[in-house]
Amino acid sequence: MPELPEVEITKRSLSKHILNQKIEAVTILNPKLRYRLKKKIFSQINGKKILKVTRKSKYILVEISSHYTLLIHLGMTGRFYFLKDKTKKIETSFYANNKILKKHDHLKISFKKFDLIYNDIRKFGFIKLYKNKSFLEIPHTSKLGPEPLSSIFNKKYLTNKLNEKKVSIKNFLMNQQNISGLGNIYVNEALYMSGIHPLLESKKIKPIKIEILVRSIKKIMKKAILMGGSTIENYHNSEGKTGSYQSNFKVYDRDGQRCLSKGCKSIIKRKLEMGRSIYFCPKCQRI
DNA sequence: CGGGACTCCTGAGGGC
DNA sequence: TGCCCTCAGGAGTCCC
């Protein structure tokens, strides 16, 4: 499930291939996504040029000439791949898990030498086209909190923000208005690294722990990006490659297994909160 | 404000 | 081998 690191990797790979390229055609292969893809809207960018590819939290923004912006969210299973031999053959690197990924293709953007395809198995992702709008004017991106790796996200910011909230720290970190880019996996990992119980009330976290939490989040984000993100079930980047941060998981999807902290022999637990899994070590992360 | 419940969707995995 | 069931998850909406 793409979180900040996976989206960042996707953005880099997109940027590498489509920057300064001219869009020759846009084809809707399957309009059903979170928001329906409309031919009339997307045909507006025919003949336009890609000027910039950026990322805000888990969103990708593609700036296109004539003041158009494509807003992309990968949802759970959204991904891009390239068709380089436009005649028929799928680029060999994209036989992920030995499966051809054509089945859930939704949108094709054709460039001179290749096609860019958006594929999304569970259809939780979306692609929207805006004109004359900056990300601050787009509802999805206007209220996002600071990026974990930005200098604005520091001990002072987090202390002030946590003091306003009664929610559990798990839910606090999942709320994109407080900090943007984290999802279930990295929140669980960051809380474990910080020795904070996921259900601890936000305002009850001690100053020393807040400092550790800030450092842990930044550390995990940096490392995950370096390792190409995490690959769980379906995530592959646009090169068809898998990330490897999943080998670093200390708690996520490890319920029933031993805690990896030195000298701790507790068993990692899994619980449900707000319909989402929380994973934690009951000994290392006390309330 | 917060905390639920519910929705979208498909494939994996368990039970039998 | 296969069918039926449950579950995972981001984000939005709606209700209390």
Side-chain angles (χ1 to χ4, degrees), chain A residues 101-118:
Chain A
L101 298 172
K102 272 172 85 172
K103 194 171 170 190
H104 301 286
D105 289 348
H106 290 270
L107 188 73
K108 178 168 83 175
I109 301 178
S110 304
F111 296 93
K112 195 172 182 183
K113 293 184 177 165
F114 60 88
D115 290 335
L116 172 67
I117 316 268
Y118 179 74

Side-chain angles (χ1 to χ4, degrees), chain A residues 122-187:
Chain A
R122 294 187 200 173
K123 303 178 173 63
F124 276 19
F126 66 79
I127 301 180
K128 278 186 174 181
L129 183 65
Y130 291 91
K131 180 153 174 139
N132 296 319
K133 293 232 187 292
S134 83
F135 76 95
L136 288 169
E137 299 167 289
I138 295 172
H140 298 280
T141 46
S142 62
K143 288 181 182 168
L144 292 171
E147 294 266 333
L149 291 176
S150 70
S151 57
I152 311 164
F153 179 69
N154 54 32
K155 189 187 174 188
K156 195 180 166 194
Y157 167 83
L158 194 57
T159 306
N160 290 336
K161 204 80 186 166
L162 286 171
N163 275 330
E164 303 167 8
K165 308 286 181 180
K166 275 188 175 173
V167 289
S168 71
I169 184 63
K170 162 77 191 323
N171 284 346
F172 175 93
L173 296 173
M174 292 290 284
N175 185 336
Q176 304 298 303
Q177 294 185 27
N178 297 327
I179 172 175
S180 68
L182 301 181
N184 209 34
I185 293 175
Y186 294 111
V187 165

